């Protein structure tokens, strides 16, 4: 098999050996229903408890403030639908949220909620003054992502949390692209809700969670038994949770070093690429960006064609988020930042993980230089 270089880590990350071992253990020697009173149940409960502790530590939460879900999509839907699903509810969010927030907020509008979507400037940041102005009227919930999945732009969530707290308004942040890539301290941040997903930091897919600040009420989204303190019923996804716990423990022990290494790798890739390939621009270059992500605009190139050609050469990357890739529209995130349709179509996202190397980054730049030149020649001949 030819070599594969995986640079689509904002879509999902490869589970590490520790994670796979933890999943296998939860499906073999620790199998059992955590609600059973016998010893198999006790072993499964032990896995559940230690995994909850590890994940809670990674997000800066007390273990009993963390509810495991099937991922960030469910956690986001839970908060938005349970708090804003009625006429008269007022939700403030942004124009650049992940589709799980975007689609939920559209559905809420259909049932009579008022939704205000904050625009961003060219760098991808929302305007805090505009948020402060909107908060002068009664608001049910503010939901703003911490890190954008397409551009890696980091929002000033501490400031957003402070503004919400000052007005007594509930604040939810989708931290799916932040957890494991920067220091997340949910308690200190002062948010009321924080969603995340384990497969963004080398955990398994189909597991994530929601932090809910102590004392804040959130009615259940699904009804059933007493699992997850009765807040999120259903037999726990023990293998997934065990994998999430292992991934969280590894990341917690190496976070500072990981962030530093990823930033060096991403920066080296960007610098090398910008030196070797003309007319390439970094979307959100001036913004505070997460350590592993670069979103690049290749002037005169069809991004979709570039992604396909790179795929043929063993390089995995994407044009926008994995959930939107199959749709023909240009990225709404890049459009919100002021890019034209053709500029958005010419953009490609590369996202690194600790499993990538500098050597891989160099190989990708070489291949990119060839493929971009070919596509530019082709489009000139075509014109
Ligand atoms: C910012 C953001 N929010 C939510 C999600 C959805 O997470 P999950 O795959 O766990 O449902 C993702 C993943 O693509 C994401 O990047």
């Amino acid at each position: 098999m030819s070599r594969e270089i995986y640079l689509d880590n904002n879509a999902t990350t490869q589970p590490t050996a520790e994670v796979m071992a933890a999943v296998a253990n939860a499906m073999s020697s620790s199998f059992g229903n955590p609600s059973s009173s016998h010893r198999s149940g006790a072993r499964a409960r032990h896995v559940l408890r230690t995994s909850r502790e590890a994940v809670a530590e990674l997000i800066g939460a007390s273990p009993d403030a963390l509810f495991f879900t099937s991922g960030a999509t469910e956690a986001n839907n839970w908060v938005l639908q349970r708090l804003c699903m009625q006429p008269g509810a007022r939700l403030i969010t942004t124009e650049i949220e992940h589709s799980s927030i975007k689609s939920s907020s559209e559905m809420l509008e259909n049932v009579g909620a008022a939704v205000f979507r904050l625009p961003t400037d060219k760098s991808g940041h929302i305007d805090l003054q505009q948020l402060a102005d909107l908060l002068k009227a009664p608001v049910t919930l503010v939901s703003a992502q911490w890190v954008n999945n397409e551009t890696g732009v980091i929002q000033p969530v501490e400031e957003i949390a402070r503004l919400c707290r000052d007005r007594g308004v509930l604040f939810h942040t989708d931290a799916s692209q932040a957890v494991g890539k920067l220091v997340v301290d949910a308690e200190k941040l002062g948010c009321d809700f924080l969603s995340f997903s384990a497969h963004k930091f080398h955990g398994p897919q189909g597991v994530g969670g929601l932090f809910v600040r102590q004392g804040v009420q959130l009615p259940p989204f699904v009804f059933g038994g007493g699992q997850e303190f009765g807040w999120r019923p259903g037999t726990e996804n023990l293998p997934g949770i065990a994998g999430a716990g292992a991934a969280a423990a590894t990341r917690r022990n190496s976070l500072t070093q990981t962030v530093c290494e990823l930033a060096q790798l991403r920066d080296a890739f960007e610098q090398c690429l910008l030196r070797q390939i003309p007319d390439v621009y970094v979307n959100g270059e001036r913004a505070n960006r997460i350590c592993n992500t670069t979103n690049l605009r290749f002037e005169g190139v069809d991004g979709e064609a570039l992604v396909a050609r790179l795929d043929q050469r063993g390089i995995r990357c994407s044009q926008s988020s994995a959930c939107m890739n199959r749709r023909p529209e240009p990225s709404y995130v890049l459009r919100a930042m002021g890019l034209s349709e053709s500029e958005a179509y010419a953009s490609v996202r590369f996202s690194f993980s600790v499993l990538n190397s500098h050597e891989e980054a160099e190989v990708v730049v070489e291949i990119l230089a060839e493929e971009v030149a070919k596509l530019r020649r082709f489009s000139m001949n075509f014109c």
Side-chain angles (χ1 to χ4, degrees), residues 11-12 52 66-78 98 100 176 195-201 203-211 221-222 228 231-241 244:
T12 199
R52 191 188 307 283
L66 164 62
F67 303 91
F68 284 115
T69 64
S70 63
T73 297
E74 179 190 327
N76 289 342
N77 274 268
W78 183 6
H98 181 264
S100 52
S176 303
S195 322
F196 65 93
S197 181
H199 72 104
K200 308 296 184 184
F201 55 93
Q205 296 166 347
V207 59
L210 181 69
F211 158 84
F221 195 38
V222 287
E228 293 301 284
W231 285 47
R232 201 283 190 175
T235 303
E236 297 86 349
N237 168 10
L238 198 69
I241 292 171

Side-chain angles (χ1 to χ4, degrees), residues 1-75:
M1 200 180 85
S2 65
R3 177 181 186 178
E4 175 173 275
I5 301 180
Y6 186 80
L7 295 185
D8 201 14
N9 290 283
N10 284 10
T12 199
T13 52
Q14 186 180 350
T16 55
E18 309 92 89
V19 169
M20 289 191 273
V23 171
N25 175 61
M27 298 185 86
S28 52
S29 46
S30 296
F31 99 95
N33 187 326
S35 300
S36 298
S37 57
H38 47 61
R39 287 183 194 186
S40 300
R43 277 197 301 271
R45 267 196 303 287
H46 175 73
V47 171
L48 183 60
R49 184 169 51 75
T50 52
S51 304
R52 191 188 307 283
E53 285 166 359
V55 175
E57 203 174 328
L58 184 69
I59 65 164
S62 133
D64 53 11
L66 164 62
F67 303 91
F68 284 115
T69 64
S70 63
T73 297
E74 179 190 327

